[in-house]
Amino acid sequence: MSTRPRLESAIEGDPPNFSNVMLHSEKILQKFTDLYAEFWRKSAVSLEIKEMTRIRNARLTDCGY
Amino acid sequence: MSTPSRSDRIPLGEVQLPENLLEKYQAFLRSTVDSNHVPLEILLSCKTRIRQIHGLEEAENIDGFDVPVISSSADESTQKNALVVAEKITFDVHGIEDVEVDELKRLLGESGCVQLITALAFFDVESRLERVLGAF
């Protein structure tokens, strides 16, 4: 388990978070953002079910979401 | 748990994943492989290892997996470290230690580390999808 942020922010002076760490590889961040937006925008699965599974998954993996 | 044969594998598009979602999913996966911060051979060896852990590819050599040929000692060291994290990300993600990520960061830089960890996470996702849906 991580005891500290393992990667630095790509934006100098900013505390590391998911987006600014991923920004080290701008192309991957862009494609991930495109995918994630599409995933949440519309689908056969309701937003409530998606959110519930996201929270459940976060708890099981101890990610603190 | 049996290993699906290649002829049994179904493209994700045929299991009715919406076209836009499929297109963006594939574009994202491509970006994790072709971002050029990590040698392709290292990514492929990690992908092979993750697929073997999920029972999607046969382990054929004495170490339990086949690895593509690595051309330099620096890449060989990176590959060894990457494979350790590849195995842990699949079934022991909390067991990944700071020192293991620090070493990858030293060998690949921050950009390479982001590319590698993202690629490993989604090799695992792809394997899980294939295992559950029977589609790739």
Side-chain angles (χ1 to χ4, degrees), chain A residues 5-59:
Chain A
R6 287 170 166 165
L7 294 172
E8 299 299 324
S9 167
I11 303 170
E12 200 173 331
D14 280 10
N17 59 39
F18 179 81
S19 296
N20 64 31
V21 168
M22 293 296 285
L23 189 60
H24 283 292
S25 188
E26 197 171 349
K27 182 178 176 183
I28 292 176
L29 176 61
Q30 181 60 57
K31 297 296 181 190
F32 179 81
T33 304
D34 291 347
L35 170 64
Y36 211 51
E38 185 67 24
F39 176 80
W40 284 98
R41 197 167 64 84
K42 62 173 185 181
S43 75
V45 180
S46 71
L47 281 174
E48 290 82 1
I49 295 289
K50 287 181 190 173
E51 184 64 12
M52 182 186 72
T53 54
R54 175 159 72 165
I55 290 169
R56 180 69 177 148
N57 189 294
R59 287 184 181 167

Side-chain angles (χ1 to χ4, degrees), chain B residues 53-74:
Chain B
I53 290 169
H54 282 288
L56 295 167
E57 286 191 24
E58 299 288 346
E60 290 176 354
N61 72 9
I62 195 165
D63 295 318
F65 57 94
D66 299 320
V67 292
V69 174
I70 296 294
S71 53
S72 75
S73 58

Side-chain angles (χ1 to χ4, degrees), chain A residues 1 54-65, chain B residues 94:
Chain A
M1 181 103 65
R54 175 159 72 165
I55 290 169
R56 180 69 177 148
N57 189 294
R59 287 184 181 167
L60 286 173
T61 54
D62 199 22
C63 90
Y65 168 72
Chain B
H94 291 93

Side-chain angles (χ1 to χ4, degrees), chain A residues 4 6-7, chain B residues 37 73-81 98-114 116-117:
Chain A
R4 55 181 163 76
R6 287 170 166 165
L7 294 172
Chain B
H37 304 300
S73 58
D75 284 353
E76 198 175 306
S77 175
T78 307
Q79 184 186 48
K80 283 180 184 167
N81 283 279
D98 291 342
V99 67
E100 292 164 338
V101 179
D102 286 346
E103 185 62 6
L104 286 174
K105 199 161 60 170
R106 186 183 71 76
L107 292 162
L108 295 168
E110 301 265 355
S111 301
C113 213
V114 165
L116 178 68
I117 300 293

Side-chain angles (χ1 to χ4, degrees), chain B residues 8-129:
Chain B
D8 291 338
R9 299 170 73 212
I10 306 166
L12 271 177
E14 290 181 20
V15 292
Q16 298 181 15
L17 196 67
E19 194 175 336
N20 280 350
L21 189 58
L22 178 63
E23 187 183 303
K24 288 177 168 54
Y25 175 67
Q26 290 173 333
F28 166 69
L29 291 181
R30 275 197 302 275
S31 76
T32 67
V33 173
D34 65 14
S35 287
N36 298 322
H37 304 300
V38 182
L40 185 59
E41 294 82 1
I42 290 173
L43 292 172
L44 292 178
S45 64
C46 289
K47 184 171 188 174
T48 299
R49 183 62 186 132
I50 287 171
R51 288 180 58 77
Q52 287 170 347
I53 290 169
H54 282 288
L56 295 167
E57 286 191 24
E58 299 288 346
E60 290 176 354
N61 72 9
I62 195 165
D63 295 318
F65 57 94
D66 299 320
V67 292
V69 174
I70 296 294
S71 53
S72 75
S73 58
D75 284 353
E76 198 175 306
S77 175
T78 307
Q79 184 186 48
K80 283 180 184 167
N81 283 279
L83 282 167
V84 168
V85 175
E87 292 183 7
K88 286 189 174 182
I89 214 165
T90 307
F91 59 80
D92 182 26
V93 71
H94 291 93
I96 296 172
E97 296 179 14
D98 291 342
V99 67
E100 292 164 338
V101 179
D102 286 346
E103 185 62 6
L104 286 174
K105 199 161 60 170
R106 186 183 71 76
L107 292 162
L108 295 168
E110 301 265 355
S111 301
C113 213
V114 165
Q115 183 188 347
L116 178 68
I117 300 293
T118 308
L120 297 183
F122 280 85
F123 292 155
D124 188 42
V125 167
E126 283 184 279
S127 294
R128 287 168 190 264
L129 279 176

